[in-house]
Amino acid sequence: MTNIPPLDLTQQYEIISEKVNTRVQEVLSSGRYIGGSIVDDFEQQFAKYINVSHCVSCNSGTDALFLALRAVNIGLGDEVITTPFTFFATAEVISAVGATPIFIDIDPQTFNLDIQQLELAITEKTKAILPVHLFGQPVDMTQLMAIARSHNLIVIEDCAQATGAEWHQQKVGSFGDIGCFSFFPTKNLGAFGDGGALTTNNQAIAAQVRILKNHGQSAKYFSEHIGINSRLDTIQAAILQVKLPYLDSWNQQRRNLANHYHKFLSNITAVLPPQELAGGICVWNQYTIILKSQDLEATVESHFSNSLRDWVRAQLQNQGIGSAIYYPTPLHLQPIYKFLAHRQLPVVEQVCHQVLSLPMFPELSTLQQEQVVFTLKNCLQEL
Ligand SMILES: *Cc1c(COP(=O)(O)O)cnc(C)c1O
């Protein structure tokens, strides 16, 4: 039986193992495991890559978002507009600083927040917009920034799934006041452990983040704020230094794979492949299709009392093909956000029952892709 995982991190390590092992060994022998020139150099290299003047590293994408909100003084009583279709951390940090997440519905073509609904959600309490470039697809930052500027709102970009993605030849993470990145192993630029970073062109924000990520200390043993401890390990910085030069080619491989998927899937009934927004470069952290057909849904419901998406996923699994559901429950329907659930968001509430993310990682072979598509086609034809 074929066995195709939704993602496989071991192949990438194989390719770069010699360089990684050498750099890790150097760190181990140096006796310097926290901070140092390796972390400083990585910050500079990453700032250059995103084309911003400052990069501050930290322990995770979640910390990056938390520090960003703290650095611009978002807190109790403030509202932050964001998407309900994202990893929980995006909204969690808004609540963690004492502010309230305001969820608006999504655009089913891009899975990103629906810009048309943005202005309707702005109130006198709105302090910031927190767009997420979900699955690697950039948000239309031209429109978003125009709205933000006209209402004097801060913009914090969640770029966790979109390292290297571009909107009109400009990297995400360089449009808003702050860009937040995750180096979690499954992200486009992944460490071998946790890691994160903030990017900004604002010197004062960068300085404030450096204070907050180091116990609020503006000088050694002199704390002016309640901060946190959030560091990118030296070992992880060394690994990221090895990986950064490969990022564009890995993203290009993802784009090639996405193009193959588009071609293979374009004329299968019931499958809606994702589309790249004109003007954007998507880096396909996930390749997420929508499964939708009134006829097939009725058939699956009556024969298997299952939803079309869940049935297809089980069929693929039986044939050794992994897939994933990002995300099964929108954030406004999470138990902790029950108090916000009176806002109905019909698009995301439907989409979360229809999405299926197919295997996607740079080392996936065309042959494996053909097997994924062949199996998907077959199981839909069976109906
Ligand atoms: C992964 C992710 C995060 C959190 O990053 P961590 O490094 O895991 O803390 C935040 N937002 C989105 C959209 C993510 O995918």
Side-chain angles (χ1 to χ4, degrees), residues 59-65 85-91 132-135 158-162 180-187 193-196 285 327:
N59 184 249
S60 67
T62 306
D63 278 5
L65 290 162
F85 201 49
T86 174
F87 180 57
F88 185 62
T90 311
V132 180
H133 307 289
L134 197 74
F135 304 149
D158 183 339
C159 310
Q161 299 183 10
C180 297
F181 292 84
S182 166
F183 304 128
F184 185 77
T186 65
K187 307 297 162 93
D194 276 309
N285 183 252
Y327 293 90

Side-chain angles (χ1 to χ4, degrees), residues 8 75 84 118 124 146 148 156 174 181 193 208 216 232 251 262 281 324 343:
D8 175 2
L118 208 44
E124 65 276 18
I156 296 171
S174 66
F181 292 84
Q208 186 65 6
L232 179 67
N251 280 343
H262 293 339
I281 297 283
R343 288 170 216 266

Side-chain angles (χ1 to χ4, degrees), residues 115-291:
I115 305 233
Q116 307 312 320
Q117 309 207 14
L118 208 44
E119 278 194 294
L120 292 169
I122 297 172
T123 71
E124 65 276 18
K125 289 184 182 166
T126 309
K127 194 98 175 265
I129 306 173
L130 207 170
V132 180
H133 307 289
L134 197 74
F135 304 149
Q137 176 96 265
V139 171
D140 179 339
M141 291 307 288
T142 315
Q143 285 193 58
L144 188 136
M145 291 310 294
I147 294 169
R149 293 306 176 226
S150 76
H151 292 270
N152 213 5
L153 299 175
I154 292 161
V155 174
I156 296 171
E157 295 175 69
D158 183 339
C159 310
Q161 299 183 10
T163 309
E166 295 178 12
W167 177 249
H168 289 289
Q169 282 90 49
Q170 189 183 332
K171 292 259 177 355
V172 302
S174 66
F175 289 90
D177 299 273
I178 310 175
C180 297
F181 292 84
S182 166
F183 304 128
F184 185 77
T186 65
K187 307 297 162 93
N188 293 51
L189 178 63
F192 296 162
D194 276 309
L198 301 90
T199 52
T200 182
N201 284 310
N202 184 316
Q203 154 78 42
I205 289 177
Q208 186 65 6
V209 171
R210 286 200 188 279
I211 289 170
L212 290 170
K213 66 167 259 190
N214 185 25
H215 304 287
Q217 294 182 126
S218 51
K220 204 164 189 188
Y221 306 128
F222 187 78
S223 288
E224 290 189 283
H225 302 272
I226 297 298
I228 57 173
N229 167 23
S230 188
R231 299 185 277 241
L232 179 67
D233 289 346
T234 310
I235 282 183
Q236 301 304 341
I239 291 164
L240 290 168
Q241 276 190 315
V242 173
K243 293 183 87 178
L244 183 58
Y246 291 90
L247 179 60
D248 285 342
S249 67
W250 287 333
N251 280 343
Q252 186 56 49
Q253 279 170 269
R254 289 176 185 272
R255 290 178 55 72
N256 297 344
L257 291 165
N259 284 334
H260 288 143
Y261 269 141
H262 293 339
K263 247 183 255 147
F264 293 144
L265 296 172
S266 60
N267 44 26
I268 303 184
T269 332
V271 173
L272 232 69
Q275 278 172 29
E276 188 171 57
L277 201 57
I281 297 283
C282 177
V283 292
W284 304 107
N285 183 252
Q286 297 296 337
Y287 188 88
T288 303
I289 60 169
I290 286 184
L291 287 158

Side-chain angles (χ1 to χ4, degrees), residues 240-379:
L240 290 168
Q241 276 190 315
V242 173
K243 293 183 87 178
L244 183 58
Y246 291 90
L247 179 60
D248 285 342
S249 67
W250 287 333
N251 280 343
Q252 186 56 49
Q253 279 170 269
R254 289 176 185 272
R255 290 178 55 72
N256 297 344
L257 291 165
N259 284 334
H260 288 143
Y261 269 141
H262 293 339
K263 247 183 255 147
F264 293 144
L265 296 172
S266 60
N267 44 26
I268 303 184
T269 332
V271 173
L272 232 69
Q275 278 172 29
E276 188 171 57
L277 201 57
I281 297 283
C282 177
V283 292
W284 304 107
N285 183 252
Q286 297 296 337
Y287 188 88
T288 303
I289 60 169
I290 286 184
L291 287 158
K292 185 172 164 182
S293 149
Q294 271 185 346
D295 291 351
L296 298 190
E297 275 160 40
T299 309
V300 173
E301 176 66 44
S302 66
H303 286 72
F304 311 104
S305 38
N306 206 345
S307 78
L308 177 62
R309 190 270 314 273
D310 290 349
W311 181 81
V312 166
R313 182 164 191 236
Q315 296 304 108
L316 291 177
Q317 196 59 52
N318 288 342
Q319 305 290 317
I321 296 187
S323 63
I325 298 171
Y326 303 112
Y327 293 90
T329 309
L331 298 192
H332 69 298
L333 300 181
Q334 294 292 335
I336 189 69
Y337 288 132
K338 266 206 299 265
F339 69 103
L340 297 169
H342 59 275
R343 288 170 216 266
Q344 277 176 0
L345 304 173
V347 177
V348 71
E349 284 169 30
Q350 185 169 62
V351 160
C352 67
H353 296 294
Q354 300 173 327
V355 283
L356 190 66
S357 300
L358 301 180
M360 172 55 88
F361 50 95
E363 298 76 21
L364 184 72
S365 72
T366 318
L367 193 68
Q368 287 178 309
Q369 257 197 314
E370 281 168 10
Q371 283 175 309
V372 173
V373 176
F374 178 78
T375 313
L376 180 64
K377 253 186 199 163
N378 271 1
C379 84

